[in-house]
Amino acid sequence: MPVVRSSDAVAHEIHGARFVSYATPRTGSRELAAWRGEIPAGTKAPAHTVTKEEILHLLDGELLVTLDGRTERVGAGDTLIINAGATLTVENPTAETAVTWVTTSLGLEAELADGTRIVPPWAN
């Protein structure tokens, strides 16, 4: 039984946020990726389109999420279903760090508005 200890998780930083990966092929996952996201106060990630469905659960804090042009304020305990092909922007307008748990299929990529493709190591 693979157990990923918190001390074995790998942290990555991009666009002002921190992603701590737990479930990846490196840790024994064959189909899914899962990570904790830490979005500091005042952070706004650039709009990006995802290639795989993501499930984002907000553990702590509050976020403004724009999904395909519709903006929602989400709080701790709320879950977002982000379908493949959706474009989203995540912003933390508060004074506290927001903490998320995200799960997706392996192979997730994101495309920025300028056409730059990101292959997040925490999801592959």
Side-chain angles (χ1 to χ4, degrees), residues 8-49:
D8 295 329
V10 179
H12 307 273
E13 294 190 22
I14 186 171
H15 302 295
R18 185 171 188 253
F19 303 89
V20 183
S21 61
Y22 292 86
T24 67
R26 184 185 70 76
T27 59
S29 182
R30 294 185 180 148
E31 296 181 21
L32 299 174
W35 63 88
R36 186 180 72 235
E38 300 167 0
I39 301 100
T43 300
K44 183 175 182 177
H48 57 286
T49 302

Side-chain angles (χ1 to χ4, degrees), residues 37-38 41 45 50 53 59 73 81 85-87 97 99 105 115 121 123:
E38 300 167 0
V50 295
E53 183 174 73
L59 296 169
R73 184 174 291 271
I81 298 170
T87 299
T97 297
V99 180
S105 300

